[in-house]
């Protein structure tokens, strides 16, 4: 399960799928076989990145260990590359938790005022 570029992993109505496919132009801070990383449109911190696994998976409950391992690797690499000393990783699962895009993603927040 390593080629996530196949159309079966793509949801034509999903904004993040369109970004991943390049149908909506974006600047990827990082891209590998499994994930893309790009800046959030409405940043909630000085640095606000989204780590988005390539296959269309609605939320964290629909992921598996393989994909989550790739997400973890990507978070580690991007934090090193972007020289983020302190940061917060957030996943919103479900409307009640504030999930608004139903393609699983992980927020990386870094900058001032994250002590609490
Ligand atoms: P959620 O609320 O689902 O946890 O996070 C979705 C995030 O995606 C929000 O922080 C929102 O600002 C961001 N977002 C929604 N649409 C776009 C887009 O088209 N481009 C980018 N870069 N971010 C988006
Ligand atoms: Zn999607």
């Amino acid at each position: 399960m390593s080629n996530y570029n196949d159309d079966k992993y793509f949801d034509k109505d999903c904004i993040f799928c369109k970004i991943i496919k390049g149908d909506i132009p974006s600047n990827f801070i990082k891209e590998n076989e499994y994930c893309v990383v790009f800046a959030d449109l409405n940043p909630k911190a000085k640095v606000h990145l989204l780590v988005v696994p390539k296959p269309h998976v609605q939320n964290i409950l629909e992921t598996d260990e393989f994909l989550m391992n790739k997400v973890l690797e990507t978070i580690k690499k991007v934090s090193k590359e972007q020289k983020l000393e302190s940061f917060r990783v957030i996943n919103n699962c479900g409307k009640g938790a504030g999930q608004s895009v139903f393609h699983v993603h992980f927020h990386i927040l870094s900058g001032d005022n994250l002590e609490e």
Side-chain angles (χ1 to χ4, degrees):
M1 197 168 78
S2 65
N3 183 4
Y4 287 129
N5 295 319
D6 196 285
D7 265 357
K8 71 178 172 194
Y9 296 114
F10 174 78
D11 180 328
K12 64 177 176 36
D13 299 318
C14 170
I15 186 137
F16 283 0
C17 281
K18 289 179 193 164
I19 289 174
I20 290 162
K21 228 185 165 194
D23 293 348
I24 296 176
S26 322
N27 286 325
F28 293 151
I29 282 155
K30 187 168 189 62
E31 179 176 15
N32 56 42
E33 230 179 309
Y34 311 101
C35 299
V36 295
V37 182
F38 52 88
D40 196 290
L41 197 61
N42 288 305
K44 300 279 192 314
K46 198 168 158 197
V47 176
H48 187 167
L49 306 177
L50 298 173
V51 177
V52 187
K54 285 189 172 178
H56 182 83
V57 170
Q58 280 224 336
N59 60 42
I60 196 170
L61 298 175
E62 305 286 323
T63 62
D64 58 21
E65 290 85 350
F66 178 85
L67 195 58
M68 286 307 297
N69 191 37
K70 297 301 173 190
V71 167
L72 178 60
E73 274 179 22
T74 303
I75 290 171
K76 286 184 183 183
K77 282 190 184 145
V78 88
S79 68
K80 203 169 176 187
E81 287 166 8
Q82 299 295 314
K83 299 184 170 52
L84 306 178
E85 281 176 20
S86 305
F87 60 93
R88 180 174 295 152
V89 177
I90 296 173
N91 169 255
N92 296 320
C93 181
K95 262 198 187 112
Q99 186 175 4
S100 60
V101 177
F102 290 86
H103 178 133
V104 70
H105 54 277
F106 299 83
H107 299 255
I108 297 180
L109 298 169
S110 186
D112 306 330
N113 305 319
L114 289 173
E115 288 92 345
E116 286 174 11

